[in-house]
Each structure stands twice: as structure tokens, then as C-alpha cells.
Amino acid sequence: MRARAAAFVLLAGFAAAPSAAQSPQVQRLIELERLIEQERARERGLARETDAQRAAVAELRLRAREAADAAAEADAQAIAIEARLEALDGEAAERQAALAARKDEIAGLAGALLALARRPPEALVLEPRSPVDAARAGTLAAAAMPAIEARAAALRADLSALDDTRAAAARERARLAVAIAALAEESAKLDAAVAARTRAFAQTAEAAQEQTSRLARLAREAQDLREFLGQIEDRAAPAPVRAVRPPPARPGETAGLAGYRWPARGRIVENWGAAQPGGQVARGLTLEPRDAAAVMAPFDGVVAFAGPFRGYGLILILEHSGGYHSILAQMGRIDAVVGQAVTAGEPVGRAGASERGTPVLYIELRRNGLPIDPSPLLFGAEAGLRR
């Protein structure tokens, strides 16, 4: 119990009251706790961002590899098509040469047959060879002509097929050229995206590392301050022989808080100064409001701390003028932020269930770091609310 009370003192002065000279250290610890919570939240955000960027870099690199593989495959197909076109060009050249030879052969035979047809039979007598040989040569030439023409026709058909095949290959080459250009552009974009994302990842990782170092420095400072204040508290705290009610508020001590009000309505379950286990005394009031009841600012002020603290739930610290601070603990929800100015009666959150299952709201008032009895401000006409 004493250790938990000391932890409360280090945040907002819930345990044995330190001297007024220690108030700056207490306030610095409150500020450190707030900064640590903020830095931890930022550290978690940077960690999430680092993980997301690491995953994005991995995804971009995978896409870049896939694009590179696709480009390599397209290049291989283009090379194969170029080789096929070269082979088709060579084959077409051979067929063209063969067709030209057939055309020359057909032209020669046709000329010979035409010459024989034009010569009169009398002229055959003057030929150095016999008329029978001349007639036989004409007959053979006439018989060879259809076969030669058939081969020429086949060559022309082959050349036409080769032209069609080459045209198809040329179209495929053009299509591949477009695809290769698109893949090259996509690869360039992915490479640039990978580089940019990698730089962002490196910057975020560096920021996360700096954030971790900053958080460690704050944690060390807070720990040193806790130990320092704990030593002072141990020296200053009396032996817990019996519970001693703190002295009542001195006349005029709460004069600067005229109009101070209850932050919520409910049954008082522990009064200020009530004995607690371990010889401690309550330095605030504990109220039992209804579940989810609105919690309001008891007085005009500025939010000095808002957030969770160890096992004490959500804590709201309001700084008032004149060195006063109000502490509202065990809240179920806080609807105010650090630095926000609030007025008396303004909603700042909601009550919530405590460890014992019922809503509680702890109310403490301090001046210059020392707890004071808020009863003169809160009771009076409402004295019937006391347990």
C-alpha cells in the first residue's frame, strides 16, 4: 500500500505530502509522466509506420522482380522472333532464286517451242540434225513444260505462305516491342518507387530509433526523480503508528476558490483524513457516482495532465490560479486534453467502473504541492452528503 501511495505522490501528490520546496520536482515528474505517455504513443505509431513501410518495400520489390522477369521473357521472345524472321528471309530468298530459275527455264522452253512452231517443214531439211531429232526435241520440251510450270506454281505458293508467316512474325514483333516498352516503363517506375519507399523506410526507422532513445532518456530522468522524491518522502514520513487526520484548512487557505463545486454527485465512501491500511490517511475524498455519470471541472483551470497512470485508472489534473491543483482519479473516460482551458461545471469526462465493480471518483485538492481539505468548499449546505 505504501509503495502504491508513493507512486501516486510522484505523479500528483496522493501520498504523504512533500514539502513546498519539493513542488517543482513533483510538477516536473507530472510533466515527465505526460511526456512519456505521449512519446510512447508516438513510438508505437512509428513502429506501426515502420512495419507498414517495410511491408510496402517488400511488396514493391516483389513487383519489380516480377516485372523484370516479364521483361526478360518478352526479350527472349523478341530474340526468337528476330531469329525466325532471319530464317524466313533466308528461306524466302532461296525460294525466290529457285522460282527465278524456273521462270528462266520456262521462258527458254517456251521460246524453243515457239521457234519450232514458226519454222516451216522445209527449213528442217537445212538443220544440221535430222528432222526426227528436231521433232523429238520439240516433243520433249512440250512434255516438260507442265512439270516445270507446276514446280513454279508450288514455289509461288511457298513464297506466298512464307510472306504470310513473315507478316505474322512481324506483327508479333511489333506487339512485343510495345509490350517491352511498357514493361521497361513499369520497371522504371517500380525501381523509382522502391528507391523512394526505401528512403522513407530508412528515415522512419531512424526516427523510430531516435524516438526510442528519447523515451529512454525521459524514462531515466523520471526514474531518477522518483528515487529522489522517494528518498525525501521516506525521510519525511512519520512512522505509521496510527492514522492521524491532516489538519483542517487554515482560514483563508481556500479563499481563492470561491465557487469550487462537486465534479459529480454521489455517495461519499471515504472522507478526507479517513484512516487507511498501513497507517496512512486519505488526502482526498472518494465519491461513488452512478455509472457513466458526467464528470465536470470543479473550478476554472487548465488541464495539466490527462491520461492513465499505472493501476489508478484515468487521472485528470487541473491547474487553477494561486498555486491550486485539482486531481480527479479513477475516471472512466476523459474528454479533455493537456493545455485545454476549462470552466467550472464544464464536462471533462465520465465516471466508470473501478476494480471493485462500482464507479468511484477520487477528488483531491492541493495548494503549492500540499494537500488541503476541500470539505469547506464542497460541504456546507450539502453537509447531508457526508457518509
Side-chain angles (χ1 to χ4, degrees):
M1 178 64 184
R2 183 177 177 125
R4 293 186 65 188
F8 238 171
V9 142
L10 299 179
L11 176 64
F14 282 96
S19 67
Q22 296 166 12
S23 179
Q25 287 87 350
V26 173
Q27 295 303 316
R28 175 54 181 166
L29 186 56
I30 294 173
E31 178 66 14
L32 282 174
E33 292 288 353
R34 182 183 65 82
L35 287 174
I36 286 173
E37 287 299 323
Q38 293 177 349
E39 296 300 321
R40 281 175 179 163
R42 186 166 183 264
E43 184 183 42
R44 291 191 294 270
L46 285 171
R48 289 192 297 269
E49 185 178 353
T50 300
D51 292 340
Q53 289 186 350
R54 183 185 292 109
V57 169
E59 174 65 20
L60 285 172
R61 285 177 175 168
L62 176 61
R63 289 173 55 192
R65 287 196 299 269
E66 292 174 348
D69 291 341
E73 178 63 24
D75 287 338
Q77 293 179 15
I79 292 172
I81 287 177
E82 290 293 342
R84 177 60 176 158
L85 285 172
E86 290 180 5
L88 289 172
D89 288 341
E91 188 175 353
E94 292 177 359
R95 300 291 176 86
Q96 288 283 6
L99 181 60
R102 292 291 183 272
K103 287 181 178 178
D104 291 342
E105 189 176 358
I106 290 172
L109 288 174
L113 290 173
L114 183 60
L116 287 173
R118 287 178 177 176
R119 290 186 180 183
E122 295 82 6
L124 294 175
V125 178
L126 301 176
E127 288 288 335
R129 55 185 176 178
S130 67
V132 175
D133 290 336
R136 184 181 296 114
T139 301
L140 291 173
M145 183 66 76
I148 294 173
E149 288 180 345
R151 286 196 293 271
L155 285 170
R156 284 193 295 271
D158 289 344
L159 284 172
S160 178
L162 285 173
D163 288 341
D164 292 342
T165 302
R166 195 182 187 287
R171 289 193 297 272
E172 179 64 14
R173 179 176 60 183
R175 186 193 66 78
L176 279 173
V178 174
I180 289 171
L183 286 170
E185 182 179 0
E186 178 69 12
S187 294
K189 289 180 180 179
L190 285 171
D191 289 343
V194 168
R197 183 67 73 172
T198 300
R199 288 193 298 270
F201 170 72
Q203 292 172 357
T204 304
E206 183 179 359
Q209 186 175 4
E210 293 176 356
Q211 180 67 21
T212 300
S213 300
R214 186 183 306 112
L215 184 58
R217 289 194 300 270
L218 290 173
R220 286 195 299 271
E221 183 181 354
Q223 182 61 31
D224 292 343
L225 194 52
R226 288 190 194 98
E227 293 175 356
F228 172 72
L229 292 175
Q231 292 171 1
I232 293 177
E233 181 195 3
D234 289 340
R235 290 196 298 269
V241 177
R242 60 188 180 89
V244 178
R245 180 181 176 87
R250 293 186 297 273
E253 191 172 30
T254 58
L257 295 178
Y260 197 87
R261 55 179 292 166
W262 289 95
R265 294 301 184 114
R267 185 172 65 92
I268 301 298
V269 295
E270 186 174 67
N271 287 307
W272 191 81
Q276 293 180 329
Q280 301 298 314
V281 292
R283 298 186 180 274
L285 294 166
T286 301
L287 184 69
E288 189 177 275
R290 63 180 178 81
D291 190 19
V295 177
M296 296 162 287
F299 200 70
D300 298 350
V302 177
V303 178
F305 181 86
F309 183 74
R310 297 192 176 95
Y312 296 93
L314 296 176
I315 296 176
L316 181 70
I317 300 177
L318 299 178
E319 181 178 358
H320 312 299
S321 60
Y324 293 101
H325 287 84
S326 291
I327 301 163
L328 307 178
Q330 297 289 2
M331 295 178 63
R333 190 183 81 199
I334 293 178
D335 297 329
V337 296
V338 172
Q340 177 182 342
V342 297
T343 58
E346 179 178 345
V348 291
R350 294 280 177 179
S354 65
E355 293 180 356
R356 58 187 178 184
T358 57
V360 295
L361 180 64
Y362 177 83
I363 309 163
E364 183 172 314
L365 179 63
R366 301 181 73 86
R367 185 182 187 188
N368 296 326
L370 297 174
I372 60 176
D373 186 359
S375 299
L377 297 170
L378 295 176
F379 289 110
E382 300 176 351
L385 287 174
R386 282 185 181 272
R387 184 178 56 175

